[in-house]
Amino acid sequence: FGSASSATDRKKLTLSFWVKRCSTGTQWIFTHDDSGGTNDFTLKFESDALRLYDYQSSFQINKITNRLFRDFSAWYSIIVIIDTTLGTAADRVKIFVNGVRETSFSTDVNPDQDDSVYVFVETSRDTNIGIRSNNSQPLDGYLAEFNCVIGTATSSTDFGDFDSDTPTVFKPIEYTGSYGSNGFYLDFADSGNLGDDESGNGNDFTETNIVAADQATDTCTNNFAILNANANRDASPITLSEGNCLQVSPGSDWTSISSTFGVNKGKWWSECNIIHLDAGQTVTGIISENTLYRGTSTDGYGIHTAPGFANQYKGIGYQFEGWLYPGSGGSRISYGASYTQGDIINIALNLDDGEVTFYKNGVAASGGAYSFTVGTEFWFFAGGPYASGDSVGWNFGGCPPYSISSGNADENGYGNFEHAPPSGFLSLCTKNIATNGG
């Protein structure tokens, strides 16, 4: 927003939010600068560390964590508390990650006592979340519970806590204090107005390239599987977008990639929208953890091979011509109807009974349940397109990269699918894993 008043007390500032990254690299989280490009206050990921700086002709604050943020399966709580009135320089800027204060920095410059940070200074300049002021280096990921408090001293426990049930897991709680005149709170609950300020101040943000379909049920309180960018190969990388739920083939390559979550018991449901298919061996299916560790990122083995093909250690894949590939050198099997662009392939993974069943547009393939040995390994959903530009949208329930016309949750009320999961089959999210799988 760009309507802030410079009259605010800028010696005390808190930013508290949850973020789930989708890729590495330099990405802006929060920034306010001046029209001359000389002074700015910025929080960003830089070389996968977290960097906070306040620059006013020179660095008043400049802190870069030694911790790196490369876990694309995790939500991170990040809380920045600035109070330059404090007598101890090291306490004037505190950064908490998942409720624990960061103490290890590669660069560690603290402000002088009673310095004012460069936020909400130039009223003609926008304050930006998720992008740099010149519209470059956007955040690639998910955000939740974004609080900005100014002019009030706060504590990390105002925004989250640990409880006796999960003493090592930091959980969000509702902030109930004052936000200050320029503070704001974005809960992202209104899909038609994702920049709506719920603090009562009316400091609404204008959404840019953000639409209602970008709202996700994948949040810091219920984390869903997405495609794992850490499993992306180095040569001819798969293009991931839409919250790491859409994959596009680099061309003539086995562009399989796995889910971030693997499980070894329970019943699980996912669906793949064949968004674009010109030609080639598009395959969807499952793989074991042993497949993840086989080969290298450039030799065509491991996760990058389509599920079930002969050079995989284990894996089961449903190929677009109607074949089922059982992996480990086994011969392909005539399994069901062929599929093409516009079809949705559903996967029912039953690890309790050692079966996997593939569906086309909600109807089980004629081959029915295929039996396999689960063992002690963890199993992942995986697959993807082959030909250049072909794309598959994966939906694990938290952020479908395509429009859902019907809307179906699992029996626990989680997920959003085009086709209803069969009885007992659940979306791959942390609340379901906690009670139904591991």
Side-chain angles (χ1 to χ4, degrees):
F1 66 95
S3 59
S5 167
S6 60
T8 191
D9 175 5
R10 295 182 287 109
K11 298 177 182 179
K12 299 175 182 178
L13 171 72
T14 298
L15 297 175
S16 174
F17 59 92
W18 291 75
V19 61
K20 178 178 175 178
R21 299 193 76 190
C22 290
S23 63
T24 59
T26 298
Q27 301 170 10
W28 253 248
I29 302 170
F30 178 91
T31 188
H32 178 85
D33 62 8
D34 65 8
S35 54
T38 303
N39 305 309
D40 69 302
F41 177 91
T42 292
L43 180 66
K44 64 178 178 176
F45 293 115
E46 183 177 278
S47 299
D48 301 322
L50 186 67
R51 183 181 184 188
L52 171 72
Y53 67 82
D54 183 71
Y55 188 87
Q56 299 180 52
S57 298
S58 62
F59 285 111
Q60 292 191 168
I61 301 170
N62 192 16
K63 300 175 86 74
I64 303 174
T65 63
N66 282 315
R67 175 199 291 260
L68 302 179
F69 296 78
R70 293 176 177 169
D71 186 349
F72 306 125
S73 69
W75 279 88
Y76 295 99
S77 165
I78 296 176
I79 301 174
V80 174
I81 300 175
I82 299 173
D83 185 351
T84 68
T85 68
L86 297 176
T88 302
D91 288 338
R92 293 172 193 154
V93 179
K94 301 172 185 175
I95 298 175
F96 295 83
V97 177
N98 298 332
V100 179
R101 184 176 174 180
E102 287 292 299
T103 58
S104 179
F105 298 92
S106 60
T107 300
D108 194 6
V109 176
N110 292 297
D112 291 336
Q113 192 167 19
D114 293 324
D115 276 352
S116 293
V117 296
Y118 202 87
V119 290
F120 314 126
V121 176
E122 207 170 306
T123 58
S124 63
R125 298 290 291 175
D126 287 338
T127 298
N128 295 292
I129 292 176
I131 200 165
R132 198 175 182 180
S133 58
N134 63 0
N135 294 324
S136 67
Q137 296 177 306
L139 176 67
D140 182 15
Y142 299 73
L143 282 173
E145 293 293 307
F146 206 112
N147 292 269
C148 175
V149 177
I150 190 161
T152 300
T154 64
S155 167
S156 63
T157 56
D158 290 331
F159 303 93
D161 61 13
F162 301 93
D163 60 35
S164 57
D165 292 334
T166 52
T168 62
V169 178
F170 191 68
K171 298 179 180 179
I173 60 174
E174 181 182 2
Y175 174 69
T176 58
S178 171
Y179 281 90
S181 61
N182 287 328
F184 58 84
Y185 167 48
L186 306 182
D187 64 359
F188 308 110
D190 184 350
S191 62
N193 187 11
L194 291 168
D196 186 34
D197 173 23
E198 296 294 328
S199 73
N201 286 335
N203 293 322
D204 293 350
F205 282 75
T206 300
E207 304 91 45
T208 302
N209 297 324
I210 299 289
V211 298
D214 294 317
Q215 185 187 54
T217 57
D218 186 338
T219 68
C220 53
T221 56
N222 193 16
N223 186 11
F224 281 79
I226 58 176
L227 295 175
N228 188 359
N230 281 326
N232 210 347
R233 64 189 304 161
D234 299 325
S236 304
I238 300 159
T239 300
L240 294 175
S241 60
E242 299 295 328
N244 282 14
C245 290
L246 177 65
Q247 64 177 122
V248 179
S249 170
S252 299
D253 200 359
W254 298 121
T255 54
S256 177
I257 193 168
S258 67
S259 57
T260 50
F261 296 166
V263 282
N264 64 4
K265 62 181 179 180
K267 299 178 181 179
W268 308 100
W269 179 257
S270 70
E271 58 186 23
C272 313
N273 189 329
I274 312 302
I275 293 174
H276 187 79
L277 177 62
D278 281 336
Q281 302 290 339
T282 292
V283 180
T284 61
I286 59 171
I287 61 168
S288 73
E289 63 180 290
N290 279 346
T291 303
L292 288 173
Y293 303 133
R294 184 172 183 223
T296 69
S297 59
T298 57
D299 68 4
Y301 287 85
I303 176 58
H304 309 293
T305 306
F309 275 43
N311 54 352
Q312 277 205 340
Y313 175 70
K314 285 188 178 180
I316 301 165
Y318 182 25
Q319 190 250 16
F320 81 110
E321 293 175 317
W323 299 101
L324 186 140
Y325 283 80
S328 300
S331 299
R332 68 183 187 178
I333 302 165
S334 180
Y335 177 73
S338 63
Y339 57 86
T340 188
Q341 183 170 306
D343 288 328
I344 291 179
I345 302 304
N346 317 96
I347 306 173
L349 174 59
N350 181 349
L351 293 170
D352 294 335
D353 299 324
E355 296 176 341
V356 61
T357 305
F358 295 91
Y359 294 66
K360 174 183 172 181
N361 300 321
V363 178
S366 58
Y370 181 82
S371 298
F372 66 101
T373 300
V374 175
T376 59
E377 301 154 299
F378 283 78
W379 291 79
F380 299 75
F381 291 108
Y386 177 83
S388 178
D390 282 358
S391 58
V392 172
W394 279 85
N395 180 12
F396 303 104
C399 189
Y402 48 89
S403 297
I404 300 293
S405 61
S406 54
N408 295 281
D410 63 29
E411 62 188 40
N412 290 336
Y414 305 133
N416 182 24
F417 298 101
E418 184 64 33
H419 301 288
S423 177
F425 286 82
L426 305 174
S427 57
L428 195 53
C429 61
T430 51
K431 285 192 175 180
N432 281 334
I433 290 173
T435 57
N436 296 275

